[in-house]
Amino acid sequence: MIEAVSPAPKRIVVAISGASGAVYGVRLLQLLRELGGVETHLVVSDAGWLNLQQELDLPREQVEALADVVYPVRNIGGQLASGSFQCDGMVIAPCSMRTLAAVAHGLSDNLITRAADVMLKERRRLVLMVRETPLNLAHLRNMTSVTEMGGIVFPPVPAFYNKPQSIAELVDHTVSRVIDLLGLPQPNSPRWSGL
């Protein structure tokens, strides 16, 4: 008798940088856990930890508990720094303009930017939830550069066509769209059915 082999979980890297909008990274981790079959790898910048505390009052231990594996941002030798680490996608949620610039220019000076560089060089899915407004020319050029390299620039712009009743619904809709970009099934995600 042949035993059925369970499929390997999808590996997704979630990075939280220092832009406002830490809720996107936290909610992404929560929804990926709810989906099942996903192994999450978390990296948070120093400024990201500050924003998690400032915006959400979340202690570090509570955020780390949402992920399967956690790496220090300065651990440039971590698994994520190598293309031999098999991974299905990476999301930087939120992505600061500093992190965007580092990715756009290949400055692998911490584990977030090195992991993003690996995603681009290995032609894997990379989604940057960039957070800034208004945008200056440097921001726009960096977004163009990342897009030309195969990354996806995904500003978390709220959608109102589903008539959201709360900030939580706006966040969930945005994060669900990101999960779609990772190619993960979401049977309970609301879909636009037309007018």
Side-chain angles (χ1 to χ4, degrees):
M1 178 176 191
I2 300 174
E3 287 187 38
V5 177
S6 304
K10 295 281 188 182
R11 281 183 174 164
I12 303 296
V13 177
V14 175
I16 299 175
S17 73
S20 181
V23 66
Y24 292 111
V26 169
R27 191 61 180 136
L28 177 61
L29 288 166
Q30 291 168 339
L31 289 177
L32 290 174
R33 174 156 287 182
E34 289 173 16
L35 283 179
V38 178
E39 179 183 290
T40 54
H41 293 253
L42 175 65
V43 188
V44 181
S45 72
D46 294 338
W49 286 121
L50 286 173
N51 275 356
L52 284 159
Q53 178 61 46
Q54 170 66 28
E55 296 178 357
L56 302 175
D57 290 322
L58 286 177
R60 186 178 188 130
E61 302 76 29
Q62 194 172 339
V63 176
E64 289 179 342
L66 295 172
D68 295 297
V69 184
V70 181
Y71 304 84
V73 73
R74 288 182 178 54
N75 182 10
I76 200 67
Q79 285 181 299
L80 309 179
S82 173
S84 66
F85 177 74
Q86 292 296 303
C87 180
D88 298 287
M90 177 177 180
V91 181
I92 304 178
C95 181
S96 68
M97 290 299 108
R98 184 250 176 252
T99 300
L100 168 68
V103 172
H105 295 278
L107 304 177
S108 301
D109 58 346
N110 64 43
L111 192 55
I112 292 175
T113 55
R114 173 58 188 166
D117 190 53
V118 167
M119 299 305 291
L120 293 173
K121 79 180 185 70
E122 299 292 333
R123 308 301 190 265
R124 296 176 185 152
R125 184 59 47 106
L126 173 65
V127 181
L128 307 182
M129 295 183 75
V130 295
R131 280 279 302 116
E132 187 62 88
T133 191
L135 300 168
N136 69 35
L137 187 55
H139 303 152
L140 295 168
R141 285 185 173 152
N142 288 335
M143 290 181 199
T144 298
S145 180
V146 167
T147 301
E148 289 172 342
M149 289 187 277
I152 297 174
V153 176
F154 188 102
V157 177
F160 296 96
Y161 53 80
N162 284 333
K163 299 183 180 176
Q165 301 299 304
S166 66
I167 292 174
E169 286 184 13
L170 286 171
V171 169
D172 279 0
H173 180 264
T174 300
V175 172
S176 291
R177 295 271 291 119
V178 169
I179 293 172
D180 280 346
L181 289 172
L182 295 171
L184 299 172
Q186 299 180 88
N188 298 323
S189 181
R191 304 288 175 189
W192 176 247
S193 57
L195 296 172

